[in-house]
């Protein structure tokens, strides 16, 4: 099965808008505003304990019942390919630089183990301190700190709180579902 990219979207989060999700679900723009404001909190960012070999994280209170995390990335670490199931989200680099590889394609949500991707679905973003992005449901990506000698720190938020994470392996155009994790696996 080949997967093609979706039509381009003109929606982009408004970083200037206040979080206004009292009584309603936070939007991608609300989540992006939260990660932007949180990443600007230098006292919080500096308080994250950094491990030289493994990622570290602290759970934060996100807006409107969202799940949020402050994550430290040692040099040379990454997430591997994954998605966040039915959650929308946003993340922003607070210090250092991260690279996001993503698929500009809508994948079937269930009932498959292996897909052959079309040639034009790969996207790459370099996100320096102060840069981030919001994303929709079923966004498949990997996030990497490619620095040989510098930690990166980022802030992430998801709504609804992550019901699961699907992990994938990738070999050329072939994407294979490897594992489904539930919250009890990472909390």
């Amino acid at each position: 099965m080949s997967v093609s990219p979706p039509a381009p979207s003109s929606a982009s989060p408004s970083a200037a808008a206040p979080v206004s999700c009292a009584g309603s679900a936070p939007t991608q723009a609300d989540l992006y505003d939260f990660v932007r404001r949180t990443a600007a909190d230098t006292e919080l960012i500096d308080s994250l304990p950094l491990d030289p070999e493994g990622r570290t994280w602290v759970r934060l209170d996100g807006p409107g019942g969202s799940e949020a995390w402050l994550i430290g990335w040692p040099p040379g670490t990454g997430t591997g390919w994954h998605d966040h199931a039915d959650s929308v989200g946003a993340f922003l680099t607070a210090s250092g630089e991260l690279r996001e590889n993503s698929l500009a394609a809508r994948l079937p949500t269930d009932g498959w183990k292996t897909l052959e991707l079309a040639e034009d679905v790969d996207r790459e973003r370099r996100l320096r301190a102060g840069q981030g992005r919001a994303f929709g449901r079923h966004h498949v990506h990997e996030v990497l700190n490619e620095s040989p000698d510098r930690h990166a720190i980022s802030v992430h938020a998801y709504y609804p709180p992550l019901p699961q994470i699907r992990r994938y392996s990738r070999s050329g155009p072939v994407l294979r579902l490897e594992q489904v994790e539930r919250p009890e696996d990472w909390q």
Side-chain angles (χ1 to χ4, degrees):
M1 166 184 241
S2 289
V3 177
S4 300
S9 169
S10 62
S12 68
S14 168
V19 174
S20 58
C21 52
S24 66
T27 65
Q28 289 179 43
D30 294 329
L31 296 175
Y32 187 82
D33 185 57
F34 170 80
V35 298
R36 183 188 54 77
R37 287 183 296 106
T38 303
D41 181 343
T42 56
E43 187 175 326
L44 175 65
I45 301 308
D46 292 343
S47 74
L48 181 67
L50 299 176
D51 183 303
E53 296 181 22
R55 285 190 297 152
T56 54
W57 54 87
V58 172
R59 185 150 187 179
L60 306 172
D61 291 326
S66 64
E67 180 173 342
W69 299 90
L70 178 63
I71 301 176
W73 305 76
T77 59
T79 60
W81 287 94
H82 67 283
D83 72 16
H84 306 99
D86 291 322
S87 297
V88 298
F91 73 100
L92 190 131
T93 304
S95 70
E97 178 178 300
L98 294 171
R99 183 175 99 188
E100 180 199 33
N101 297 319
S102 63
L103 301 178
R106 291 207 191 284
L107 303 183
T109 56
D110 292 308
W112 65 275
K113 292 283 186 188
T114 303
L115 292 175
E116 185 170 340
L117 302 170
E119 289 183 24
D120 58 349
V121 299
D122 288 301
R123 301 293 181 266
E124 178 185 315
R125 288 181 176 82
R126 296 220 176 255
L127 302 167
R128 293 177 182 86
Q131 297 178 322
R133 67 166 315 206
F135 53 85
R137 301 178 194 292
H138 308 289
H139 176 69
V140 177
H141 69 163
E142 67 174 347
V143 180
L144 308 158
N145 176 6
E146 296 181 316
S147 171
D149 57 7
R150 186 169 180 212
H151 271 78
I153 298 175
S154 57
V155 181
H156 303 247
Y158 310 98
Y159 188 85
L162 296 172
Q164 66 183 14
I165 293 177
R166 289 182 288 246
R167 298 215 175 261
Y168 305 97
S169 62
R170 174 114 188 247
S171 179
V174 177
L175 187 70
R176 180 182 309 277
L177 176 63
E178 297 291 345
Q179 180 179 7
V180 177
E181 295 176 1
R182 308 240 182 269
E184 56 271 16
D185 297 326
W186 66 79
Q187 294 182 0

